Structures are given as structure tokens and as C-alpha cells.
Amino acid sequence: MKLVITGPAIPNLPWQPKPAGNPDTVWRYDANPVIGRRPLPRVTGIYNSAVVAFEGKFIGVFRTEGMDRVPHLHVGRSPDGLKWTFEPKPIEFKCDDPEVSRHEYAYDPRVTLVDGIYYITWCNGYHGPTIGIAKTTDFVNFEQIENAFLPYNRNGVLFPRKVNGKYLMLSRPSDTGHTPFGDIFVSESPDMVYWGKHRHIMGRGWPWFQGTKIGAGPSPIETNEGWLLFYHGVTGTCNGFVYSMSAMLLDLENPSKVIASANQALLCPEAPYELAGFVPGVCFPVGCLCDSATGRIAIYYGAADTVSALCFCEAQEVIQFIKDNPLKR
Ligand code: BMA
């Protein structure tokens, strides 16, 4: 079957072909990290951040962390997806309800274009982590909506279109700390405010690379083979958690149904910038650009909770890898 991708063509997608002889399905940008240490005054790092194509260039919402280690969200802009400039001040969300706007911290943003509006979902501090939602059309004015779920929850990721007339959001119920468990669920909403019909998608456990927890990465990519979802799988080692990236395919009309998921990671921490930093051993995919014309994919991932890196793959090859190496449960 010829792969058809629903989504924008991005002719200026940041891209490098796979190096000759590389046996992997996903390969790294050879000038990683794309966003290094100290990208702004008094900011130690930008990582776990979301990027979208915008008006022929690229824009995104970025997780910054200063010396106090409290995360905030900043807008960043780039002509080519590689060289970035950032707003020095965090996003000021407009919100009529002071109870909703009193967020204590904000991290791991995703940006999803649904029906012409860019929605930002992030891990929002409201008596513990939950999923905040805001919307914008220009990346200047941001309106904060209700928090999607009760605390505690992380990795809230929207689908890029309504399914059966409802918005869909992936999430990973969690605890207040570093959460030694976690499965991916999907919830639906008629209005982006009230979320329900929560359905389990996939659990952690087997094999070991995702033995401790899993969480959705960038927004799913729509293809005629199903929704292609990149996610992080976490293993618990004697030295703490290690975060890798893998992928699964979800049913187009009923995304709580997993068509197939890979039985191994596609990207494991091994580069120096993934192994040395504030939290060594972390590859955390959050942003994704997919050129629907070619199937080329560029994934932005946080490395070692310190810098932002880029890796590449081709949708057709990833889907084939999942089919050839399916997880048997
Ligand atoms: C998770 C989140 C991520 C982070 C990861 C590794 O629980 O806090 O933002 O990248 O841990 O520290």
C-alpha cells in the first residue's frame, strides 16, 4: 500500500539523509544539539520543546529552565528549524479565571494545529502536575483554557483533528514525583473543556526499555495506515531512569486500539549530549515536523534534560519497522 500522509507539505523541512551504512531507522542530526546550553541569559537549557511549521518558517513553544530550576514556556522562532531565537520572557497567558491562570510551573509543551488554531498543551503546576491548555493563532496572544484533567497527569498530547466529532487527547496519569509507573490513555472532548470517555491505549511493562512507564511524544501523524505515534519508553536501572523513543500505530477511527507497536526502541541515549547533562540518559521526543509530500520526519527531542537535539526518519520506514518488529503481548 502506498503511504498517504494527511498534513502539511513542508518543503523546507530540516533534513539530512541517512548516513551510508547506518542500519537504524532513526538517525541523529550530525550537528546536534540544535539548541545548546545557555541559550538565553540566566537560562541553563532549553529542552523537551515543540516546533511547528509557520508562515514558511518555524516557530515553537520551548521549555526553559533557569538557575532556580523552575520550568517556563517561551516562544522561539527559526528561519530553517535549526537556528533559533527565543523571546526572553515567558509566555503570558491571558485567562479570565485567576484560579486557572495561577500556574506554578510549566513544562514539556506540545503544539498541535487543529482546525486552524494552534493549541499548546503542557504539564501545568496546579496542586501538582496536570495538563494545561492554551490556544493561539499568531504566537503572540495566548488564551489559556481550563486544565484538562485532575492532577496528577503528564504528557497531554492532542490529535491534529477531531475524530468522530470529538477532540482527542493522549495523557499519562502520574503522581507528584518522578512517577515509577505510567500508561498512555486517550480522552475525548466536545469543546476542549470537558474531557471524558477515558480509554487505555497501551501499558508499560514489556520489554525492558519501557518496563517502568511510557508517555506520548509529539502529536500523532495521520497516515492511511493509522496514526503514527512516537512515544518515550522508560526503563528503571540501578542508576535511575533511562528514556528512549519508540513508535506505535493507532487505529484511525478508534485510536484507543493499537494496530501495532515496536518491540524495541528506535532511539536510545548514546550520544555524549544524551548521556551528560542535568539528567543523563534521556531522549525525550516532543516536537515533530512531517513533510506529507515526502514522508520525511524531523523529530525534536530533549537530551539529558539540558539541550535540544534533532533526529530524522521516514514515515514509510518507521511503519515498516513497527510491522516487521511487532510487540507481542
Ligand atoms: C519526566 C519529565 C520530563 C523529563 C524526564 C527525565 O518525568 O519531567 O520532563 O525529561 O522526566 O528527567
Side-chain angles (χ1 to χ4, degrees):
M1 179 169 23
K2 185 180 174 326
L3 188 70
V4 179
I5 296 169
T6 304
I10 310 177
N12 56 341
L13 181 92
W15 180 253
Q16 268 178 348
K18 191 190 311 205
N22 184 331
D24 296 334
T25 307
V26 173
W27 60 99
R28 292 169 177 79
Y29 177 46
D30 68 5
N32 270 343
V34 272
I35 306 167
R37 289 170 186 246
R38 308 304 299 256
L40 279 172
R42 292 179 297 285
V43 167
T44 54
I46 287 181
Y47 59 95
N48 298 6
S49 300
V51 168
V52 288
F54 187 68
E55 296 177 346
K57 298 178 182 168
F58 300 93
I59 201 161
V61 176
F62 292 80
R63 169 185 176 155
T64 66
E65 246 165 62
M67 296 291 191
D68 61 2
R69 304 248 42 118
V70 180
H72 300 286
L73 304 181
H74 291 229
V75 171
R77 295 180 176 80
S78 172
D80 57 4
L82 300 171
K83 290 179 290 303
W84 289 91
T85 50
F86 303 100
E87 292 289 341
K89 292 218 174 90
I91 296 172
E92 279 183 35
F93 295 103
K94 293 190 183 66
C95 182
D96 292 338
D97 187 339
E99 184 63 14
V100 175
S101 62
R102 61 180 281 278
H103 68 243
E104 296 140 19
Y105 50 80
Y107 64 82
D108 295 2
R110 274 69 166 189
V111 179
T112 312
L113 180 62
V114 193
D115 295 340
I117 296 174
Y118 293 91
Y119 289 91
I120 295 89
T121 54
W122 71 95
C123 183
N124 190 30
Y126 179 76
H127 303 280
T130 185
I131 307 304
I133 312 177
K135 58 181 180 179
T136 186
T137 50
D138 56 10
F139 288 86
V140 177
N141 301 293
F142 291 84
E143 183 191 334
Q144 188 173 352
I145 315 171
E146 293 287 325
N147 292 315
F149 305 118
L150 289 169
Y152 312 110
N153 207 312
R154 291 181 170 97
N155 297 300
V157 179
L158 285 168
F159 281 68
R161 70 163 166 88
K162 289 180 179 169
V163 176
N164 301 319
K166 300 286 177 8
Y167 296 107
L168 293 185
M169 188 169 353
L170 303 163
S171 77
R172 210 278 307 286
S174 63
D175 66 9
T176 47
H178 297 294
T179 318
F181 61 88
D183 296 350
I184 300 177
F185 290 77
V186 64
S187 309
E188 66 174 50
S189 171
D191 55 7
M192 277 281 175
V193 174
Y194 296 96
W195 294 88
K197 287 192 83 172
H198 315 292
R199 297 286 184 272
H200 186 261
I201 292 190
M202 197 173 102
R204 80 283 197 186
W206 183 259
W208 285 4
F209 86 93
Q210 55 189 3
T212 301
K213 53 182 169 175
I214 58 174
S219 306
I221 299 166
E222 183 171 5
T223 80
N224 57 340
E225 299 253 16
W227 296 100
L228 175 59
L229 176 68
F230 292 96
Y231 68 97
H232 62 262
V234 182
T235 189
T237 75
C238 59
N239 266 336
F241 294 155
V242 174
Y243 285 66
S244 301
M245 181 183 83
S246 192
M248 64 176 93
L249 267 182
L250 306 176
D251 186 85
L252 274 184
E253 291 312 308
N254 176 15
S256 67
K257 193 170 150 237
V258 180
I259 297 169
S261 72
N263 63 7
Q264 56 197 275
L266 292 163
L267 187 79
C268 283
E270 63 179 55
Y273 50 86
E274 297 160 355
L275 299 174
F278 195 67
V279 183
V282 178
C283 293
F284 199 92
V286 165
C288 179
L289 300 169
C290 177
D291 175 21
S292 59
T294 59
R296 291 175 174 175
I297 295 175
I299 299 172
Y300 293 81
Y301 64 101
D305 284 8
T306 304
V307 297
S308 294
L310 195 50
C311 61
F312 306 109
C313 53
E314 306 219 26
Q316 179 81 66
E317 212 184 325
V318 174
I319 290 171
Q320 198 58 50
F321 184 88
I322 295 171
K323 287 181 174 174
D324 292 346
N325 302 275
L327 179 60
K328 296 192 178 74
R329 289 186 177 258

